[in-house]
Amino acid sequence: MSKIRIGIVGYGNLGRGVQYALRQNGDMEAVAVFTRRDPAEVKTVFPVKTERYEEMEKYVGKIDVMILCGGSATDLPKQSAQVASLFHIVDSFDTHPKIPEHFAALDAAAKAAGTLGVMSVGWDPGLFSLARLYFGACLPVGKTYTFWGRGVSQGHSDAIRRIKDVRDARQYTVPVESALERVRRGEEPDLTTREKHTRECYVVAEEGADKARIEREIKTMPDYFADYDTTVHFISEEELLREHAGIPHGGLVLRSGVSAAGSKFLEEFSLKLESNPEFTSGVLVAYARAVYRLAREGRTGAVTVFDIAPKYLLAEDEGTQRKELL
Amino acid sequence: MSKIRIGIVGYGNLGRGVQYALRQNGDMEAVAVFTRRDPAEVKTVFPVKTERYEEMEKYVGKIDVMILCGGSATDLPKQSAQVASLFHIVDSFDTHPKIPEHFAALDAAAKAAGTLGVMSVGWDPGLFSLARLYFGACLPVGKTYTFWGRGVSQGHSDAIRRIKDVRDARQYTVPVESALERVRRGEEPDLTTREKHTRECYVVAEEGADKARIEREIKTMPDYFADYDTTVHFISEEELLREHAGIPHGGLVLRSGVSAAGSKFLEEFSLKLESNPEFTSGVLVAYARAVYRLAREGRTGAVTVFDIAPKYLLAEDEGTQRKELL
């Protein structure tokens, strides 16, 4: 059987992760990486053609599914619809308030082109969204909670780096254990932002910097830190590189609820990930397989993980799935 | 909008659970209970018509989906295909080695009748199967583990009750915490039956019974107990009724794995259920909604949870799902 031919659009941590993930999925192969940088300067983790983003059209008929590995702030709002006008796509769009808008744009572009695009794939949105849906469907009277971490938030790390005299920084989002325990006990508490997560910051300051000022600026930063209990640790650049080089993440979705007869239930899903982008890539690749198959059945337009029957994710046939996994 | 009309076939713990669950799903209603007992003698938790199993045909056109609440040993192998020749159905068939056979029989009956049947719905098989599939699809290099408990195994409790001079008994299946911890650490151990679960038995013996003999018979019973570390506690009938009246259950699905770059991941899903049948019923009811909708789209034959896109489980429309859950 011929392999599903994958294109990778954008080559940062996620693009690298997709290449790694494809190595573990024998029915798929990477055909080319598309970049807005100079293709000659993109160093890939395994050998693969690198091409200019603008050259993509040459690959129509040679690539089955494009996996978009750009960011949600500026890349995907343009690229998803653009690429979907030529190829089936998978993206990891995660700007939550803009999901309806992104869906509409992708749906229009994909329907016009007769392609299929699945958006917002990853672990949140993605697997966590699925947990929220399945949990709620099976236990309609109850309350769902999502906790993130312990893990690195790139956005918050970047926000610290923008402060004067900060050379580098790493920010960890950490779920509050006592809040988790209250949820697990079925208390269904109303939790404030501060009660759910704390923020731990590891900061490398320039020599002679006013550390008290930096700490104050972090802790009072609106949206990012002001609503949280934040701790700031000043460390050396050497320690940062040694102890905080990875991009771990994870989190939990919990739902507690009760039957009409009064029995209590707890549903819990958690992920512990040594590498956020490498795990996300694994999810993107599984959904690329699903998109390929659904498209062959004639499906077009925009879809999400909610629209895709689980069977499409696995290479194994349905009989094998029922035998081995049901 | 008119409600989805549900019939309940069989009225034990699961049938009662379905009635409770329907109370929490405003878009559905119980129309009738079908029983092989005397309908006049079936006491339901909420008022509903009770009818003879043989009278079912009168309800064609008046019931949209039948939820089968019989057992997998003798009821469902007959009833699923039988009922599917008249109605769309949901069943909780859980005799794992016979899944292909059950699927084939249901598929043939449903296709011949133009109905749709979803089989093996509940938490295992059911939600745990989904976890195994999603976990494996997103993390292809790794190892999946399923643990059951702490919870009551009806089959094992019954096996103890069949021993001479045992008046009543309750058996709990308990995951071995140290095995769980090894899995969580990513060791990917090969675990024997004995290493995964222990069995705790609470036994009420007849007066003057030879307790040593009963204990020996339990611990050496092939298949049920011989392969496990089993503890036996003799208690009074009063204590059994007071402390062990419920039917709690639950368990965990875990998968640990690694990316091609060497990063380690842990996926974990767990359920803690004060009432096994009441939770199972909640899952059955959600899938009854899905079956109703898929049937309206023209789908016929047998399907499993793997074939059903998550969106069909919830009453909310797709836009709302994307906005609130994605």
Side-chain angles (χ1 to χ4, degrees), chain A residues 157-300:
Chain A
S157 301
D158 289 343
I160 299 172
R161 282 189 208 103
R162 285 191 293 265
I163 293 173
K164 183 171 172 280
D165 289 343
V166 169
R167 184 183 296 183
D168 204 349
R170 208 72 85 243
Q171 194 272 174
Y172 294 88
T173 305
V174 185
V176 175
E177 198 58 43
S178 59
L180 270 175
E181 285 313 315
R182 291 183 63 194
V183 172
R184 288 194 179 116
R185 280 197 299 269
E187 291 181 23
E188 301 193 11
D190 290 314
L191 298 169
T192 63
T193 298
R194 190 179 299 275
E195 286 170 325
K196 284 185 73 182
H197 297 95
T198 57
R199 298 202 176 275
E200 282 175 19
C201 312
Y202 294 85
V203 180
V204 181
E206 299 289 354
E207 242 183 70
D210 179 352
K211 290 180 179 173
R213 175 193 50 83
I214 292 174
E215 180 163 346
R216 200 169 52 240
E217 284 193 37
I218 294 172
K219 289 184 169 177
T220 58
M221 198 184 297
D223 301 330
Y224 285 87
F225 294 101
D227 297 334
Y228 298 85
D229 289 336
T230 301
T231 53
V232 177
H233 308 274
F234 288 95
I235 61 175
S236 67
E237 186 155 28
E238 188 189 34
E239 186 179 341
L240 188 92
L241 294 175
R242 193 182 63 233
E243 303 292 336
H244 304 281
I247 317 173
H249 219 313
L252 309 95
V253 177
L254 304 103
R255 184 174 177 86
S256 71
V258 66
S259 75
S263 305
K264 293 175 83 172
F265 307 114
L266 180 68
E267 307 171 303
E268 180 167 341
F269 170 47
S270 68
L271 291 172
K272 288 200 180 75
L273 314 173
E274 280 189 0
S275 165
N276 182 353
E278 286 167 26
F279 185 80
T280 300
S281 303
V283 187
L284 290 171
V285 164
Y287 275 92
R289 177 183 295 120
V291 159
Y292 173 76
R293 292 176 171 182
L294 277 165
R296 285 171 68 111
E297 293 182 6
R299 187 78 175 259
T300 63

Side-chain angles (χ1 to χ4, degrees), chain A residues 129 259 263 268 270 278 326, chain B residues 129 259 263 266 268 270 278 326:
Chain A
S129 318
S259 75
S263 305
E268 180 167 341
S270 68
E278 286 167 26
L326 195 64
Chain B
S129 319
S259 76
S263 304
L266 179 68
E268 180 166 343
S270 67
E278 286 167 26
L326 196 64

Side-chain angles (χ1 to χ4, degrees), chain A residues 74-145:
Chain A
T74 56
D75 299 331
L76 299 177
K78 279 190 192 172
Q79 294 179 354
S80 293
Q82 223 167 51
V83 181
S85 73
L86 297 169
F87 300 92
H88 309 307
I89 72 149
V90 181
D91 82 27
S92 62
F93 186 76
D94 67 357
T95 310
H96 207 277
K98 295 192 175 162
I99 281 178
E101 190 181 321
H102 192 76
F103 185 89
L106 175 59
D107 195 51
K111 278 194 176 134
T115 61
L116 178 64
V118 56
M119 64 175 259
S120 301
V121 172
W123 60 272
D124 196 1
L127 298 186
F128 274 21
S129 318
L130 287 166
R132 289 187 286 262
L133 191 155
Y134 279 114
F135 286 3
C138 299
L139 189 52
V141 176
K143 198 163 174 176
T144 300
Y145 298 82

Side-chain angles (χ1 to χ4, degrees), chain B residues 210-229:
Chain B
D210 179 352
K211 291 181 178 172
R213 175 195 48 85
I214 293 174
E215 180 163 346
R216 200 169 53 240
E217 284 192 35
I218 295 172
K219 289 185 169 178
T220 57
M221 198 185 296
D223 299 331
Y224 285 87
F225 294 100
D227 297 334
Y228 297 85
D229 289 335

Side-chain angles (χ1 to χ4, degrees), chain A residues 19-21 23-25 46 96 99-100 103 119-120 124-130 132-141 184 258-276 278-279 282-283 286-287 289 299 302 304-314 318 321-326, chain B residues 19-21 23-25 46 96 99-100 103 119-120 124-130 132-141 184 258-276 278-279 282-283 286-287 289 299 302 304-314 318 321-326:
Chain A
Q19 250 202 312
Y20 283 124
R23 281 286 160 124
Q24 298 184 323
N25 288 272
F46 301 115
H96 207 277
I99 281 178
F103 185 89
M119 64 175 259
S120 301
D124 196 1
L127 298 186
F128 274 21
S129 318
L130 287 166
R132 289 187 286 262
L133 191 155
Y134 279 114
F135 286 3
C138 299
L139 189 52
V141 176
R184 288 194 179 116
V258 66
S259 75
S263 305
K264 293 175 83 172
F265 307 114
L266 180 68
E267 307 171 303
E268 180 167 341
F269 170 47
S270 68
L271 291 172
K272 288 200 180 75
L273 314 173
E274 280 189 0
S275 165
N276 182 353
E278 286 167 26
F279 185 80
V283 187
Y287 275 92
R289 177 183 295 120
R299 187 78 175 259
T304 74
V305 295
F306 296 159
D307 301 292
I308 296 181
K311 68 172 176 183
Y312 290 102
L313 298 172
L314 276 188
E318 295 172 26
Q321 291 180 17
R322 282 193 295 270
K323 195 160 173 279
E324 296 182 357
L325 298 169
L326 195 64
Chain B
Q19 250 202 313
Y20 283 123
R23 281 284 161 125
Q24 299 184 323
N25 288 273
F46 302 115
H96 207 276
I99 281 177
F103 185 89
M119 64 176 258
S120 301
D124 196 2
L127 298 186
F128 274 21
S129 319
L130 288 166
R132 289 186 286 261
L133 191 156
Y134 279 114
F135 285 3
C138 298
L139 189 52
V141 176
R184 288 193 179 115
V258 66
S259 76
S263 304
K264 294 174 83 172
F265 307 113
L266 179 68
E267 306 171 304
E268 180 166 343
F269 170 46
S270 67
L271 291 172
K272 287 199 180 73
L273 314 172
E274 280 188 0
S275 165
N276 182 353
E278 286 167 26
F279 186 80
V283 187
Y287 275 92
R289 177 184 294 121
R299 187 77 176 260
T304 74
V305 295
F306 296 159
D307 300 292
I308 295 179
K311 68 171 177 183
Y312 290 103
L313 298 172
L314 276 188
E318 296 172 24
Q321 292 181 16
R322 282 193 295 270
K323 195 159 172 280
E324 295 182 357
L325 298 169
L326 196 64

Side-chain angles (χ1 to χ4, degrees), chain B:
Chain B
M1 212 180 72
S2 64
K3 295 192 176 191
I4 302 172
R5 299 163 301 174
I6 301 294
I8 299 171
V9 183
Y11 203 79
N13 287 328
L14 206 52
R16 274 188 288 277
V18 167
Q19 250 202 313
Y20 283 123
L22 289 170
R23 281 284 161 125
Q24 299 184 323
N25 288 273
D27 59 330
M28 310 172 90
E29 62 182 345
V31 171
V33 165
F34 300 89
T35 178
R36 282 160 311 165
R37 291 180 275 162
D38 177 356
E41 284 179 12
V42 173
K43 290 181 70 174
T44 59
V45 295
F46 302 115
V48 64
K49 264 190 197 159
T50 56
E51 297 274 10
R52 288 191 185 284
Y53 182 83
E54 293 74 20
E55 301 293 307
M56 199 177 289
E57 198 160 355
K58 291 195 312 192
Y59 283 82
V60 171
K62 294 175 188 161
I63 283 177
D64 297 308
V65 183
M66 288 285 197
I67 300 181
L68 274 60
C69 300
S72 295
T74 55
D75 299 331
L76 299 177
K78 278 189 191 171
Q79 295 179 354
S80 294
Q82 224 166 49
V83 182
S85 72
L86 297 170
F87 300 93
H88 309 307
I89 73 150
V90 181
D91 82 28
S92 62
F93 186 77
D94 67 358
T95 310
H96 207 276
K98 294 190 176 163
I99 281 177
E101 193 180 321
H102 192 76
F103 185 89
L106 176 59
D107 194 52
K111 279 196 175 131
T115 61
L116 177 64
V118 57
M119 64 176 258
S120 301
V121 173
W123 59 272
D124 196 2
L127 298 186
F128 274 21
S129 319
L130 288 166
R132 289 186 286 261
L133 191 156
Y134 279 114
F135 285 3
C138 298
L139 189 52
V141 176
K143 197 161 174 177
T144 300
Y145 298 82
T146 303
F147 290 84
W148 296 279
R150 186 176 191 262
V152 171
S153 163
Q154 302 281 16
H156 288 78
S157 301
D158 289 343
I160 299 173
R161 283 190 207 101
R162 285 190 294 263
I163 292 173
K164 183 170 172 282
D165 289 343
V166 169
R167 184 183 296 184
D168 204 350
R170 208 71 85 244
Q171 193 273 173
Y172 294 89
T173 305
V174 185
V176 174
E177 198 58 42
S178 60
L180 270 174
E181 285 313 315
R182 291 183 63 195
V183 172
R184 288 193 179 115
R185 280 197 300 269
E187 291 182 19
E188 300 193 12
D190 290 315
L191 297 169
T192 63
T193 298
R194 190 177 299 275
E195 287 170 323
K196 285 184 74 183
H197 297 95
T198 57
R199 298 202 177 274
E200 282 175 17
C201 312
Y202 294 86
V203 181
V204 182
E206 299 290 353
E207 242 184 68
D210 179 352
K211 291 181 178 172
R213 175 195 48 85
I214 293 174
E215 180 163 346
R216 200 169 53 240
E217 284 192 35
I218 295 172
K219 289 185 169 178
T220 57
M221 198 185 296
D223 299 331
Y224 285 87
F225 294 100
D227 297 334
Y228 297 85
D229 289 335
T230 302
T231 52
V232 178
H233 307 273
F234 288 95
I235 61 174
S236 67
E237 187 155 30
E238 188 188 35
E239 184 179 342
L240 188 91
L241 295 174
R242 193 181 64 232
E243 303 292 336
H244 304 281
I247 317 173
H249 220 312
L252 310 94
V253 177
L254 304 103
R255 184 174 178 85
S256 71
V258 66
S259 76
S263 304
K264 294 174 83 172
F265 307 113
L266 179 68
E267 306 171 304
E268 180 166 343
F269 170 46
S270 67
L271 291 172
K272 287 199 180 73
L273 314 172
E274 280 188 0
S275 165
N276 182 353
E278 286 167 26
F279 186 80
T280 301
S281 303
V283 187
L284 291 171
V285 165
Y287 275 92
R289 177 184 294 121
V291 160
Y292 173 77
R293 292 176 172 182
L294 276 164
R296 284 171 68 110
E297 293 182 5
R299 187 77 176 260
T300 63
V303 293
T304 74
V305 295
F306 296 159
D307 300 292
I308 295 179
K311 68 171 177 183
Y312 290 103
L313 298 172
L314 276 188
E316 286 76 14
D317 68 77
E318 296 172 24
T320 306
Q321 292 181 16
R322 282 193 295 270
K323 195 159 172 280
E324 295 182 357
L325 298 169
L326 196 64

